[in-house]
Amino acid sequence: MFSRFRSFLPLCYCIFFFTFTAFGANAQDAAKPQSRWALEFGPDIDIYFLQAALRASPRDELVLGAIYMNTAIAGLIPYPGEEQIYAFELGWRHFFWKGLHAEILLLPEWVVSREIGAGSPSAGFDLVPELRAGWQFNFKSWGVQWYLTLQWFAGYRLLNPKPASFKAVDGGSFYTSPIPMFLFGLRL
């Protein structure tokens, strides 16, 4: 199932290595976030994010956002059809040290699945707690504070309205990320 992800791993590692070495660890100290609000966005292969983050304390942020996922875009998971997921996210992000952080989120989702040869799509509501961990690289250029966030994630579908054929391909209700997702952010 994850064999198609292997071709993306070298690219992910190169981006991570270039970002860390080109800007250096001192960039973390040079661009300490001053603003309470941030806007985050990220096209990650077949997942699109738009998030707002509110800094509640020097180490904590509240996260509110929307996600759209269409598995047919990149075709990384060989589903027996097409799947689209529309989700909201509400979460909390805690920074442990510099950019090292963890998030816990709750995602109410609307899942639409269409099996090949099926007449009409099946749709249903899902509720997903998700845990993310990663590193946030803060930068300041041209007077604008921005950042790049790399995160691995894991979640569990509590209701899982997907058809049985889709569950057989993606392993059921529990999921993890074999590669990190990338989010770009601007401090407002």
Side-chain angles (χ1 to χ4, degrees):
M1 175 170 105
F2 296 113
S3 61
R4 293 184 181 180
F5 287 111
R6 290 184 188 144
S7 62
F8 291 102
L9 284 177
L11 175 64
C12 294
Y13 292 133
C14 289
I15 290 171
F16 178 77
F17 180 76
F18 172 76
T19 303
F20 189 72
T21 56
F23 297 103
N26 291 336
Q28 292 292 329
D29 298 327
K32 291 201 185 221
Q34 302 298 322
S35 175
R36 289 192 62 187
W37 286 96
L39 185 62
E40 304 171 346
F41 54 94
D44 281 336
I45 303 173
D46 58 1
I47 305 171
Y48 299 89
F49 294 88
L50 182 59
Q51 299 178 166
L54 171 64
R55 187 168 293 276
S57 74
R59 292 181 160 231
D60 298 302
E61 291 181 345
L62 299 174
V63 178
L64 180 65
I67 300 172
Y68 170 72
M69 183 173 78
N70 184 341
T71 58
I73 292 173
L76 296 175
I77 301 174
Y79 282 128
E82 186 177 311
E83 177 183 67
Q84 295 181 351
I85 298 175
Y86 307 91
F88 290 106
E89 59 182 0
L90 176 62
W92 172 68
R93 179 183 300 150
H94 180 75
F95 289 89
F96 297 102
W97 177 74
K98 294 195 178 198
L100 180 65
H101 68 277
E103 288 181 30
I104 186 159
L105 298 117
L106 186 61
L107 290 83
E109 298 181 339
W110 184 253
V111 180
V112 180
S113 304
R114 180 187 301 267
E115 294 183 85
I116 295 174
S120 62
S122 64
F125 177 76
D126 198 1
L127 194 58
V128 181
E130 190 171 273
L131 180 64
R132 300 177 186 170
W135 191 273
Q136 188 174 92
F137 298 92
N138 292 297
F139 305 99
K140 187 171 185 175
S141 57
W142 301 293
V144 176
Q145 291 184 337
W146 60 280
Y147 55 89
L148 170 67
T149 303
L150 295 143
Q151 292 179 325
W152 280 266
F153 58 91
Y156 187 80
R157 299 186 177 286
L158 297 175
L159 305 175
N160 203 352
K162 296 181 181 186
S165 59
F166 282 66
K167 292 177 188 177
V169 170
D170 67 15
S173 294
F174 179 74
Y175 62 89
T176 61
S177 66
I179 58 174
M181 66 178 173
F182 298 88
L183 293 171
F184 299 94
L186 295 170
R187 298 277 173 202
L188 306 175

